[in-house]
Amino acid sequence: MRAAPTILHLDMDAFYASAEQASKPSLRGRPVVVGGLGMRGVVATASYEARRFGVHSAMPMAQARRMAPNAAYLVPRFSLYRTVSEQVMELLGRLSPLVEPLSLDEAFVDLEAGGVADDSMTARLVGEQLRTVIRGVTGLSASVGLAGSKMLAKIASEEAKPDGLLLIEPGTERELLAPMSVRTLPGVGPATGDHLRRAGMTVVRDLAEAGEAELVRLLGKAHGVALHRMALGYDDRPVVAERDAKSVSVEDTFDVDLHDRVRVRTEVERLADRCVHRLRGAGRSGRTVVLKVRRYDFSTLTRSETLRGPTDDPTVVREAAARLLETVDTTGGVRLLGVGVTGLADFTQEDLFAQAADARQAAEAQVAARAQQTAADEPASGTTPVPDEPPAGAEETAHGHAAPTAARHWQAGHDVRHDVHGHGWVQGSGVGRVTVRFEEPGMPPGRVRTFRIDDPELHPADPLPLVRDPVDYSSWPASLPKSLSGPVPPEGAESSP
């Protein structure tokens, strides 16, 4: 535990939804929900306006629509989110060599290791400056927590939301935590929280007063000891710049339950290929293949098989996943499938399965691979296309535009460009028509027009920068005036609530 609050936790406010509001002037101040729009889609992020209606992350999209029927429902644009995330992480990297990203929109920073803060005053100053710079560069707001440990810094940033900063002075941790719900502590989910509630423990003070022995009796040694330490505000985990991934996995949720066993196997093999693609992209191999199956009744089963050595061979992972599928009863229907690889390594060994395969098996594997590639090129019925891929049915012309086809699919929220009207975004589509609002970040709300879905003048487009004329912070943090107020953000760069 540190004597100064030099661990910073940054969390962008309602990141996906705020990025959409900044990108689309007509949505500022309105409830916005981002996520899968299919029958079984879930909410990825809800704007603060939507949260007032009770909408929150991980909620079924159908339930969100009932609670906030007038909200704007958009498909994620991960290419935009990654671009903004890279801008934010680059700014954090200027503060310290020890930056630990947790996701696209949050990270820990060790300010002491970067030499930019060594006490409460300098830590607060850096935190305020950071929020100002992020707003100037991205147009979005962020919340900052500062404390002597990672756990408390994260709790502080959550308490500071939205668009705020909270510093927890070392020595005040226990007093601050005491009245908070036990669910505030890491590792206390719904099941553990309910178990503690039945034991008469609802706030952190109860855990601290109960003592380590009682928590061990209730939760077991490892969880009980850890929870008691956290209740006392103790956390000595360091900020780790390189987080070593423990697994690589992919999964798909289907709008309609899969009953055909052949189709289920085909989807598992397709997921195995995607998993290996990610594995190779990370320069890793893995020894254990994991299959995840969520059935029609929401019961979730996992099966795993450990190979004789690490591999990144798609045939090996595909065959292992298929073997695992044979051990699962899918009679009633399957709503979700996932394939993962754990036990990661930085090398591969000659796979024993591949060595033992004869010429006939090799030929069959090549045929299967070609078939899977063909299937991957055509969106499967009942699945949601990957947001970063071109709309289904859009064929690229020599000029880079999508050729008009009857199968063209326009996803709500995605960017388009019209040869006459310029840049816009899809408000909705159906019955052979697509409605587009033409507007750009930093401009007044634009006009709405409707076109045929195969209009030759309408093309998919890349997202525009959220800030048209970003402030130049190339010399930050050395040159930024040491004032808590900071420079004024550029016009049009204000963030959404």
Side-chain angles (χ1 to χ4, degrees), residues 167-207:
L167 184 148
I168 299 177
E169 289 284 359
T172 66
E173 298 93 345
R174 187 167 177 177
E175 179 183 357
L176 176 80
L177 290 172
M180 293 184 176
S181 166
V182 294
R183 293 288 303 277
T184 303
L185 300 179
V188 181
T192 301
D194 189 55
H195 189 50
L196 292 171
R197 180 186 59 78
R198 290 196 301 269
M201 303 178 194
T202 58
V203 296
V204 176
R205 179 188 299 106
D206 298 332
L207 303 180

Side-chain angles (χ1 to χ4, degrees), residues 94-448:
R94 299 188 200 176
L95 294 176
S96 173
L98 295 182
V99 176
E100 183 178 339
L102 302 180
S103 62
L104 289 177
D105 62 334
E106 65 173 318
F108 288 111
V109 184
D110 188 333
L111 301 180
E112 184 177 313
V116 294
D118 56 10
D119 58 20
S120 297
M121 183 183 70
T122 53
R124 182 183 295 276
L125 179 62
V126 169
E128 292 287 5
Q129 290 180 352
L130 176 63
R131 294 175 56 241
T132 297
V133 175
I134 288 176
R135 186 187 293 273
V137 172
T138 70
L140 303 179
S141 66
S143 295
V144 167
L146 293 156
S149 70
K150 291 168 66 172
M151 178 188 75
L152 290 162
K154 185 172 175 62
I155 290 174
S157 69
E158 187 64 29
E159 292 293 311
K161 282 184 169 294
D163 194 18
L165 180 150
L166 176 64
L167 184 148
I168 299 177
E169 289 284 359
T172 66
E173 298 93 345
R174 187 167 177 177
E175 179 183 357
L176 176 80
L177 290 172
M180 293 184 176
S181 166
V182 294
R183 293 288 303 277
T184 303
L185 300 179
V188 181
T192 301
D194 189 55
H195 189 50
L196 292 171
R197 180 186 59 78
R198 290 196 301 269
M201 303 178 194
T202 58
V203 296
V204 176
R205 179 188 299 106
D206 298 332
L207 303 180
E209 294 175 349
E212 181 180 297
E214 178 63 11
L215 293 179
V216 168
R217 186 186 69 81
L218 287 171
L219 305 172
K221 184 172 179 59
H223 199 182
V225 170
L227 195 57
H228 187 253
R229 286 165 57 88
M230 288 189 291
L232 297 177
Y234 189 81
D235 175 25
D236 59 356
R237 294 173 299 158
V239 176
V240 181
E242 297 295 334
R243 289 169 56 87
D244 191 21
K246 296 180 179 180
S247 65
V248 173
S249 63
V250 296
E251 62 181 43
D252 272 346
T253 300
F254 306 98
D255 287 341
V256 179
D257 288 349
L258 304 185
H259 294 274
D260 185 346
R261 186 75 177 184
V262 174
R263 170 71 188 285
V264 172
R265 177 176 175 127
T266 299
E267 292 295 335
V268 166
E269 293 177 344
R270 182 177 62 84
L271 289 167
D273 287 342
R274 285 173 52 195
C275 181
V276 170
H277 179 73
R278 288 190 181 183
L279 192 68
R280 288 181 168 181
R284 309 298 293 274
S285 62
R287 188 172 181 177
T288 300
V289 178
V290 180
L291 174 70
K292 177 180 178 181
V293 179
R294 181 166 297 152
R295 299 187 293 189
Y296 70 98
D297 59 356
F298 287 89
S299 61
T300 302
L301 305 176
T302 57
R303 300 287 187 270
S304 64
E305 177 180 317
T306 299
L307 309 174
R308 300 186 187 181
T311 185
D312 63 354
D313 187 315
T315 301
V316 173
V317 176
R318 195 161 49 234
E319 292 178 350
R323 286 193 297 273
L324 293 171
L325 179 62
E326 295 302 318
T327 68
V328 178
D329 179 12
T330 61
T331 305
V334 173
R335 60 185 294 121
L336 177 147
L337 290 169
V339 175
V341 176
T342 65
L344 302 188
D346 295 323
F347 62 92
T348 61
Q349 296 179 358
E350 289 296 322
D351 189 84
L352 299 180
F353 296 106
Q355 288 179 356
D358 57 20
R360 180 183 61 80
Q361 291 172 317
E364 291 175 350
Q366 291 177 356
V367 172
R370 285 196 295 271
Q372 292 308 311
Q373 183 60 48
T374 301
D377 291 340
E378 300 176 0
S381 174
T383 62
T384 301
V386 177
D388 288 335
E389 295 178 353
E395 299 176 358
E396 293 296 317
T397 68
H399 300 290
H401 295 312
T405 69
R408 180 180 282 185
H409 177 65
W410 303 100
Q411 293 184 309
H414 278 215
D415 298 85
V416 295
R417 177 164 291 280
H418 192 274
D419 292 343
V420 176
H421 303 291
H423 189 92
W425 58 277
V426 177
Q427 281 198 326
S429 63
V431 199
R433 295 288 187 269
V434 54
T435 301
V436 178
R437 183 181 287 273
F438 292 97
E439 59 186 4
E440 299 182 9
M443 303 292 288
R447 299 184 63 182
V448 177

Side-chain angles (χ1 to χ4, degrees), residues 33-45 56-62 253:
V33 181
V34 180
L37 303 187
M39 292 172 57
R40 290 179 176 165
V42 297
V43 176
T45 307
H56 58 77
S57 300
M59 172 182 287
M61 190 61 76
T253 300

